[in-house]
Amino acid sequence: MNTMDFRFNLVATDDYARAGLLQTPHGEIPTPIFMPVGTQATVKAASPRDLHDLGARIILANTYHLYLRPGDERIARLGGLHHFMGWDGPILTDSGGYQVFSLSQRREIDADGVTFRSHIDGSEHRFTPEKVIAIQQNLGADIIVCLDECAVPDDYEYNVEALARTHTWAKRCKAAKTRGDQALFGIVQGGVFPDLREQSAHFLTEVGFDGYAIGGLSVGETKEEMHGMLEVLDPLLPADQPRYLMGVGTPADLVECVARGVDMFDCVLPTRMARNDSALTRDPGPDPSRPGRINLRNARFADDPAPLEPGCTCYACAHFSRAYVRHLVKANEILGHHLLTLHNLHLMLTIAREIREAILEGRFQAYRETFWRRADE
Ligand SMILES: [Zn+2]
């Protein structure tokens, strides 16, 4: 590692599953880890105090959104992102690339960067590798990532072109970075094509980064395709550096992707589901592509005295019934979404912790089997 204050130690492995410790300027992160998403410098419906109580060790914030509003230079003037949002733990910022390609209007990509219009007011902006690094240096997260182009997963020609740009941009991002207290992750792309993923892993590890993000998955391809790409990448990515699977996933995804060598995850699922009146459950359900959940709007919970998930130790489950949470969401009371958010984040963070303990004790495969046995019950 060439970045100060940043170290990754692989503590134990169990087949392909890995348990590690990631040292950052704002604290140590045990891996595997789930990172709650704080898109606009807030994890929706949860305060930093809640996040600490839940045991969150790192959160993600979004470069595209914070650049547009309130502005990265303003955040720098106000003391940086940690101070601005009152979170003193580690933060990872994404590059904004994914949002430019999915949210913005009228984007035009060229070899040098991408020009786009804001989804908020239609104003025109341009991201280049250098600009995206400058924004992330202003924000001051512990881990920052390279600008990449996230192509549709199954278009080979497009993926070849997008990968060439992503690789050139990765080199430029590394050259543009000047802060010594931030780790920089490269992003492996290449859709669902093993040869392109392989090429990408070779290129990026040759350039050399502090860790490797895996992008362009969980964007419409099948689970089998996603797992296949992870199996291609596992032996190609350096064993002594962290691997971060972007935008994934469900409790079952955590189990299955850790089983294929992934260390870090982020996903809006738990917070978004909470705002859609749903509680995540451990039960992976009959369809492995969809997480277990209960929707509190369902009339069958109106008289249900049970907690959201029996056996859960979160604040919501320890104090309130399904009937009460259903009443709150029906009455549009903010507390309903807050309690569902606490439960859903607690579940993801707990599963990541359990997986880590299982790896440390050499019983990850047994844990994985027990996890799936629930689906058959
Ligand atoms: Zn709970």
Side-chain angles (χ1 to χ4, degrees):
M1 293 282 144
N2 49 13
T3 303
M4 270 191 314
D5 308 324
F6 189 84
R7 257 190 340 272
F8 181 70
N9 293 316
L10 197 55
V11 180
T13 57
D14 190 346
D15 280 340
Y16 298 100
R18 300 145 50 89
L21 273 178
L22 183 53
Q23 203 70 52
T24 79
H26 288 86
E28 199 171 58
I29 305 161
T31 64
I33 192 79
F34 179 79
M35 303 184 276
V37 178
T39 305
Q40 316 239 36
T42 166
V43 174
K44 291 185 199 300
S47 70
R49 185 174 58 190
D50 296 326
L51 296 170
H52 274 299
D53 290 349
L54 286 165
R57 302 297 288 268
I58 173 170
I59 60 168
L60 184 141
N62 202 276
T63 292
Y64 169 89
H65 288 281
L66 296 177
Y67 158 76
L68 289 177
R69 180 177 60 193
D72 52 293
E73 287 170 9
R74 174 170 290 136
I75 290 175
R77 282 197 302 275
L78 291 166
L81 188 54
H82 294 88
H83 186 72
F84 183 60
M85 68 178 291
W87 167 257
D88 57 7
I91 301 176
L92 181 150
T93 46
D94 67 2
S95 70
Y98 180 77
Q99 283 70 28
V100 167
F101 292 103
S102 61
L103 273 187
S104 70
Q105 302 156 14
R106 295 209 306 185
R107 55 188 156 71
E108 273 170 43
I109 309 153
D110 54 73
D112 187 54
V114 54
T115 302
F116 60 95
R117 288 187 179 277
S118 157
H119 74 290
I120 300 169
D121 61 6
S123 55
E124 189 174 284
H125 301 270
R126 184 163 171 77
F127 276 178
T128 61
E130 292 75 18
K131 177 69 183 174
V132 157
I133 294 298
I135 296 169
Q136 294 185 85
Q137 293 194 142
N138 278 335
L139 296 174
D142 301 81
I143 302 172
I144 65 176
V145 302
C146 295
L147 180 64
D148 65 322
E149 181 171 351
C150 183
V152 285
D154 56 354
D155 180 337
Y156 190 83
E157 295 311 316
Y158 179 21
N159 269 282
V160 169
E161 282 172 35
L163 198 57
R165 279 189 286 269
T166 293
H167 289 171
T168 315
W169 293 353
K171 266 179 133 163
R172 283 170 54 185
C173 282
K174 185 176 175 181
K177 177 177 175 281
T178 53
R179 276 182 73 155
D181 58 351
Q182 295 182 299
L184 176 63
F185 282 20
I187 305 184
V188 176
Q189 286 285 356
V192 295
F193 305 104
D195 61 321
L196 299 185
R197 289 283 171 182
E198 208 169 300
Q199 228 180 72
S200 191
H202 281 308
F203 182 92
L204 294 172
T205 52
E206 189 82 8
V207 175
F209 291 93
D210 301 306
Y212 296 88
I214 303 166
L217 290 176
S218 202
V219 292
E221 82 287 354
T222 65
K223 293 286 180 201
E224 290 69 30
E225 287 173 320
M226 176 169 86
H227 294 163
M229 293 306 105
L230 297 178
E231 285 160 15
V232 166
L233 292 173
D234 177 72
L236 301 176
L237 296 175
D240 59 352
Q241 290 185 281
R243 298 118 172 238
Y244 157 37
L245 180 55
M246 306 177 94
V248 177
T250 64
D253 284 331
L254 255 59
V255 174
E256 287 308 308
C257 299
V258 165
R260 293 168 171 84
V262 174
D263 306 308
M264 302 167 72
F265 300 86
D266 80 284
C267 194
V268 295
L269 179 89
T271 42
R272 181 173 289 167
M273 257 197 188
R275 298 197 305 287
N276 291 325
D277 310 324
S278 291
L280 277 170
T281 64
R282 270 170 189 272
D283 176 3
D287 176 357
S289 65
R290 315 183 72 179
R293 61 184 283 186
I294 58 169
N295 188 326
L296 275 300
R297 289 215 161 246
N298 196 313
R300 73 189 160 104
F301 301 121
D303 289 293
D304 192 338
L308 293 173
E309 182 165 46
C312 178
T313 59
C314 84
Y315 172 74
C317 289
H319 294 87
F320 308 100
S321 63
R322 290 171 173 172
Y324 178 64
V325 178
R326 172 181 151 78
H327 158 67
L328 293 177
V329 300
K330 289 285 283 182
N332 283 322
E333 284 292 340
I334 294 169
L335 183 62
H337 291 162
H338 174 63
L339 293 177
L340 286 165
T341 299
L342 295 184
H343 168 79
N344 289 352
L345 287 175
H346 175 87
L347 179 62
M348 298 302 294
L349 294 163
T350 301
I351 287 176
R353 263 197 303 271
E354 289 172 355
I355 289 174
R356 187 169 195 277
E357 281 162 25
I359 297 169
L360 291 175
E361 292 166 13
R363 50 175 180 82
F364 174 69
Q365 292 310 328
Y367 179 88
R368 188 180 177 190
E369 280 161 30
T370 309
F371 181 88
W372 283 109
R373 207 170 299 135
R374 263 182 256 272
D376 305 326
E377 276 165 6

